[in-house]
Amino acid sequence: MNVTAQLQQHVVRVRTRARAIVLLLATPLAAGLALLAWRIAGLAPAVALAVLACGCAVLIAMRRARGFDHSWLARALDAGRVDMDDSAALLFAPPTTLPPLQQLQRERLQARIQADPSMPAPTPWPARALAAAWVGGALLVAAALWWPESAPRTAASATTRASGAAVDATPVLQSQTLEITAPAYTGQAPRTQAELDAQAPAGATLRWTLRFAPQPRELALQLHDGREIAFVREDEAWVATLPLEQSWLYRIAVDGDTDRVLARAQPWRLDAVPDRPPEIRVRTPEATLSTYARGQRSWPLVFEASDDHGVAADARLRITVTRGSGEGITFEDRVLTLRGRGDARLTTFATTLDPVALGIEEGGDLVAQLEVRDTRAPTPQTARSASLILRWPPPAPVDADGLEGLARDVLPAYFRSQRQIIIDAEALLAERSRIEPSAFEARSDALGVDQRILRLRYGQFLGEESEGGARPPPTADAEPSPPPRKPLPIDDFGQSDVPAAGHADGENHDDHDHDAPGHDPDHAPGAHHDHDHDHGPQDATTFGRAEDVLSTFGHTHDLPEAATLLDPATREVLRAALGEMWQSELQLRQHAPRAALPYANRALELIKQVQQADRIYLARVGSRLPPVDFSRRLGGERAGIAPRLASAAEAGDTDVPAVAWSALAWNDTADLAALVAWAQDHPRQVDDPLALLSAVDALQRDPACGACRQALRGQLWRVLQRPLAAPARRLAIDPIGARYLDALQEDAP
C-alpha cells in the first residue's frame, strides 16, 4: 500500500470514530425523550420528536467529521513527528504542481513514513460523557414508564381489549388524499394531493380517501346547498367520489357531526375552472371590408384560433355570395373544410379563395366566416370569426357626374345598428365582473357614442339637426366644399335599419354645435326646436336662382325627398324611436348600460314598425287560415294556452344583496337562505361566489358572531348596485343671502 492510501485510510478511521462518538451520545437521550413524549402526548408527537432528534444528531456528526480532513492530518503529523520537517502538507499536494525541490522533499517524507508508519492518534473515546448520556437516557425511559397513560391511549387500549365493545371514542383523522382526474380532452394527467382544497377543470372527477382511528360508524360529504354524499368503506379507508360540474363548498361529517373531524372554521373549497370557448383572430386581410379589383383571381385568408385545451384539427369556412340589388338580392351559401397547422392550442387556418370561380358579380359581395370547434367532450364549444367581406362596387349611374359621381364610388361607412348596440350592451353587462371599472366605463361610453351616431342618421329623416362641430364663418375667398355624405346603418344581416323609403343619403344637412347626452332637453329627439338662430351663408352657385339662394341663405331642416316619402303616422313612430335612442344614449354615456337596455329595446321595436310601414308582402301561395272553432268561444277554457310569465317588475323582484346588507347593518335577521339562492342563480355578478357563500356559512354556524356579520357585509358591498348621483339640494337662505336678494330686488328697474 502506498503512502497516499495509508494517509486516506487513516482519515476515514478518524472520521468514523468522530461520527460514532456523536451518535452514541445522542441515541439514549433521543430514545428517552421520544418514549416520554409518547406517554404524555401520544404517538404522533413522539415520532416527530424522535425524527427531529435523530436529524439533529446526524447533522452534528457530519459537521464534526468534516473537521478531520487532510489539513488536520498534515498539522497533526507536523506536530507529532519531528522527521516531517513541517512539510507534511506536501504529501497531499499533486506531484505535477510542485517544483523540483518540493518534489524531492515529498519523496523524502514518503520514504520516512514507509520506514515509520506511525500516525496521529484519533480522538479518544469520551468515557465519562458516554456514561452520563446512557445514564440520562435510562432515567428518561424510567420516567416514561412511570408516567401515567394518557386518556386517548387508555380508551384505545380499552377498545382493543373489549374486542368490539361499543365505546364512544372520537375518531381521529390519520391520513387524507384527494385524487383529481381531469377530463380526457384536457390532456392533464391525474394527480393526487393531501390538501382538501382543490382547483380542477369543470367535468373532473374527485376521489377522497380518508383513514380514521378508531373507525367511525358513518361518514358523509356535505355540500353548501345541503346535499350529502356518503363515503363508502373499503378495508380501512373511506372513499367518496364527486364529478365536479360547478364550484362547491363542503365539509366532512363524521357520524352526522361536522365538528368531529378537524377543527376548521371555514369549509373547504372546490373551484371548478370552466372551459373557455375558442378565440379567433383574423391575420389576413387586415380590414374586414376589402374592395375587389377587376380580374382579381385570389383572395388570401389567414385565421388564428386559440383555446385553453386545444382546437379541433378541422374548421368550417362559410362562404356567402350575394348578387343583385334592392329587393332582388339572392344568396348562395357553401361550406369549405380547412385543416389547421401548428400546436393544438394555437392553430392557424389558411386558404386562398378564387372570387371569379365562386361567382362574384359586379355590385355583389363575397362574405367569408370561419367556424372553429374546441376539443371539449361530449359537446364541443364553437366560435365564429368576424365576417370578411370582399365587395365589388356597383357601377356608377350613367347620369352621375361631378361630385355626386365621385361620392358614389366611395364605399359606405359601417357602424353599429340598434340590434348590435343591444347585443354589445348585454355582453358588457355579462363581462362586468371580469373587467376593470375603467374599461367598463370606457366601453359603455363608446356604446353611447355609437348610439348617438345612429340617432343622428335616423334623425335626418325628420329634419333633425346634426350635432357635429360648428362651421367657421364664411369668407369672401372661401371655396365651396361638397357636403359630407351620411352613410346608412347596416345591421347584422346586411340590411339597413332605416326604412326602405328613406335611402336617399346624399342630402345636405346643417351642422350645429349641440352637446352629446346631457345637453339641453329642448334638443332631444322628438322635442320642438326653436329655429330662430343664425346660420352661416353658403356660396350660391347661380345668381338669381331661387333654389340656390334659399339653400345658401335659408335654413332648411327637412329633407325634401324624405319629407314626402314618410306618412305622418310613420314619422311620429320614428320620432318616438329617436326619443328612446336619446334616453339610451344618455344612460350609456353615464356608464349605466343596464338602465339603457329598456330604451334601446323599445327603440328597436319602433324602428321595426317604421320598416314594416312601407313594405308590401305578397303571398307566394294562397293563404289558408284554420277555421274558427265557435264551440270554444266565450267558454272560459284555458287548456292549451301557455301561461304568461310575469316580468321582474310585476313579480316584485327585490334586490336580495341590498336587503341582506341593510339587515346586517341594523343587526336585524337577514334571510341567508334567499341570499344563498341568489348567489347560486347569479354567479357572474359576484367576483368570488365561494367566498360569499363561505361568509354566509360562518354566520349561519354562529349567528352571534359580530366579525362574521362584518365579513359578510364586506362581501355584499362588492355586489351592490351603485345608485346614480342625485343633485344636491339647495341650502336654506341665511340672513346674509336674504339681504343680498333684497338688495337685488331694490336695484331692479
Side-chain angles (χ1 to χ4, degrees):
M1 181 180 299
N2 56 14
V3 175
T4 303
Q6 290 180 351
L7 296 176
Q8 184 65 29
Q9 188 176 7
H10 185 70
V11 170
V12 172
R13 286 198 300 268
V14 172
R15 288 182 173 181
T16 303
R17 176 176 289 193
R19 296 191 191 98
I21 291 173
V22 174
L23 294 178
L24 288 175
L25 289 173
T27 299
L29 297 177
L33 290 175
L35 184 60
L36 185 61
W38 177 65
R39 297 288 292 184
I40 295 176
L43 180 61
V47 172
L49 182 60
V51 171
L52 180 62
C54 293
C56 293
V58 170
L59 290 177
I60 296 174
M62 298 298 294
R63 184 180 181 85
R64 173 80 173 168
R66 278 199 300 269
F68 298 98
D69 53 2
H70 294 165
S71 300
W72 167 83
L73 183 55
R75 293 192 301 270
L77 287 173
D78 290 336
R81 295 183 58 161
V82 181
D83 57 349
M84 290 291 104
D85 298 334
D86 292 335
S87 303
L90 297 175
L91 296 172
F92 304 101
T96 57
T97 61
L98 299 176
L101 184 60
Q102 292 182 356
Q103 291 182 5
L104 180 60
Q105 179 66 14
R106 185 174 183 273
E107 292 175 357
R108 290 177 179 176
L109 296 179
Q110 289 180 347
R112 294 170 185 175
I113 290 177
Q114 288 179 354
D116 183 10
S118 60
M119 294 290 175
T123 304
W125 293 96
R128 294 183 179 180
L130 290 174
W134 284 92
V135 170
L139 293 177
L140 290 175
V141 172
L145 296 177
W146 171 79
W147 196 274
E149 198 171 7
S150 60
R153 283 189 47 81
T154 304
S157 59
T159 304
T160 304
R161 291 191 301 268
S163 66
V167 178
D168 188 12
T170 301
V172 178
L173 183 62
Q174 301 294 330
S175 64
Q176 56 190 21
T177 57
L178 177 57
E179 182 180 356
I180 303 175
T181 304
Y185 74 89
T186 61
Q188 300 180 8
R191 70 178 191 271
T192 302
Q193 62 182 32
E195 296 81 6
L196 296 182
D197 291 315
Q199 186 177 19
T205 302
L206 307 181
R207 177 185 172 90
W208 287 264
T209 303
L210 308 179
R211 297 180 183 274
F212 293 87
Q215 294 292 349
R217 294 187 301 271
E218 60 180 359
L219 202 65
L221 198 72
Q222 292 184 349
L223 303 178
H224 67 259
D225 63 347
R227 289 195 300 157
E228 290 189 359
I229 299 176
F231 279 79
V232 179
R233 184 172 178 179
E234 296 180 357
D235 296 333
E236 296 299 325
W238 293 82
V239 178
T241 304
L242 173 67
L244 187 63
E245 300 296 340
Q246 67 179 70
S247 300
W248 294 101
L249 294 175
Y250 75 97
R251 282 189 170 89
I252 299 175
V254 178
D255 299 334
D257 189 357
T258 57
D259 295 330
R260 300 188 65 183
V261 182
L262 294 176
R264 179 184 171 103
Q266 298 295 329
W268 289 284
R269 294 172 56 116
L270 297 177
D271 292 286
V273 181
D275 185 7
R276 298 192 301 269
E279 296 181 359
I280 305 177
R281 291 173 292 276
V282 180
R283 295 304 184 189
T284 303
E286 297 181 356
T288 57
L289 181 62
S290 305
T291 305
Y292 173 79
R294 188 176 298 273
Q296 178 181 349
R297 298 304 301 266
S298 64
W299 187 34
L301 303 177
V302 179
F303 303 88
E304 188 178 79
S306 61
D307 188 72
D308 48 358
H309 296 303
V311 179
D314 56 345
R316 303 174 62 187
L317 183 65
R318 298 178 177 271
I319 303 174
T320 302
V321 181
T322 65
R323 301 183 183 90
S325 61
E327 297 293 337
I329 297 180
T330 60
F331 301 90
E332 180 182 350
D333 297 330
R334 64 184 67 185
V335 177
L336 296 180
T337 302
L338 303 183
R339 300 290 298 179
R341 301 191 310 270
D343 185 68
R345 298 190 178 184
L346 186 61
T347 307
T348 301
F349 298 92
T351 186
T352 301
L353 301 181
D354 187 353
V356 177
L358 293 174
I360 190 171
E361 296 180 356
E362 191 172 10
D365 295 340
L366 177 61
V367 184
Q369 187 181 41
L370 187 70
E371 180 179 320
V372 175
R373 297 175 293 107
D374 62 4
T375 57
R376 189 179 72 170
T379 55
Q381 300 179 104
T382 60
R384 293 183 178 179
S385 68
S387 296
L388 303 179
I389 305 174
L390 179 63
R391 170 158 298 172
W392 189 342
V398 179
D399 56 348
D401 55 358
L403 295 177
E404 186 174 356
L406 295 176
R408 290 183 181 273
D409 291 338
V410 180
L411 291 176
Y414 284 84
F415 49 88
R416 283 182 172 87
S417 65
Q418 188 65 28
R419 181 185 296 104
Q420 188 63 41
I421 290 176
I422 296 173
I423 295 174
D424 291 347
E426 293 174 347
L428 179 60
L429 289 174
E431 299 175 4
R432 182 171 189 174
S433 60
R434 300 191 298 271
I435 60 178
E436 297 293 334
S438 58
F440 174 82
E441 295 174 359
R443 289 175 58 181
S444 179
D445 187 73
L447 287 177
V449 173
D450 294 334
Q451 182 70 85
R452 172 179 177 270
I453 295 174
L454 186 61
R455 174 173 60 82
L456 294 179
R457 297 303 190 269
Y458 283 107
Q460 296 174 6
F461 298 95
L462 294 180
E464 294 287 344
E465 298 177 352
S466 62
E467 299 178 5
R471 295 181 180 178
T475 58
D477 57 348
E479 297 182 359
S481 58
R485 298 186 60 82
K486 307 292 186 179
L488 295 179
I490 306 300
D491 64 8
D492 298 322
F493 301 97
Q495 299 180 359
S496 172
D497 282 341
V498 181
H503 281 189
D505 60 343
E507 289 76 13
N508 189 6
H509 292 274
D510 299 328
D511 286 342
H512 302 278
D513 189 11
H514 296 309
D515 293 330
H519 66 274
D520 192 347
D522 293 338
H523 286 168
H528 177 69
H529 295 272
D530 185 6
H531 303 315
D532 188 11
H533 49 272
D534 296 333
H535 287 261
Q538 301 176 357
D539 295 337
T541 58
T542 303
F543 180 79
R545 289 188 59 182
E547 295 83 4
D548 292 342
V549 175
L550 179 61
S551 62
T552 304
F553 300 99
H555 183 52
T556 304
H557 276 251
D558 258 342
L559 299 177
E561 293 84 359
T564 58
L565 293 178
L566 296 179
D567 59 276
T570 304
R571 290 171 60 84
E572 291 301 322
V573 175
L574 184 56
R575 193 182 305 278
L578 293 180
E580 300 295 338
M581 287 185 186
W582 192 90
Q583 293 294 333
S584 173
E585 174 190 350
L586 177 66
Q587 300 297 332
L588 289 172
R589 296 299 291 271
Q590 293 180 350
H591 312 146
R594 189 182 303 277
L597 280 177
Y599 300 108
N601 285 303
R602 285 195 292 269
L604 180 60
E605 294 177 1
L606 294 172
I607 290 172
K608 292 306 176 184
Q609 293 180 17
V610 174
Q611 287 182 337
Q612 303 301 326
D614 295 328
R615 293 186 180 182
I616 300 176
Y617 292 92
L618 299 178
R620 295 182 180 271
V621 295
S623 58
R624 296 181 180 179
L625 301 178
V628 178
D629 187 3
F630 292 96
S631 61
R632 298 189 56 184
R633 296 191 55 162
L634 305 179
E637 293 290 338
R638 302 179 60 87
I641 301 177
R644 184 177 66 89
L645 299 178
S647 61
E650 296 175 353
D653 189 10
T654 58
D655 193 353
V656 177
V659 173
W661 188 84
S662 300
L664 293 172
W666 295 99
N667 291 328
D668 294 337
T669 302
D671 191 356
L672 300 182
L675 186 58
V676 171
W678 178 88
Q680 293 178 348
D681 295 338
H682 305 81
R684 295 185 177 181
Q685 298 186 17
V686 187
D687 295 336
D688 192 353
L690 293 185
L692 176 60
L693 294 175
S694 179
V696 173
D697 178 80
L699 186 58
Q700 287 177 337
R701 295 171 65 85
D702 188 5
C705 178
C708 301
R709 298 177 71 91
Q710 293 299 326
L712 181 55
R713 289 188 63 204
Q715 293 290 337
L716 292 176
W717 178 256
R718 303 178 182 179
V719 300
L720 294 180
Q721 295 184 2
R722 302 297 186 265
L724 297 178
R729 299 179 61 87
R730 287 187 177 180
L731 300 178
I733 301 176
D734 54 1
I736 297 177
R739 290 197 299 271
Y740 175 74
L741 295 178
D742 294 340
L744 290 179
Q745 294 294 334
E746 294 175 358
D747 295 341

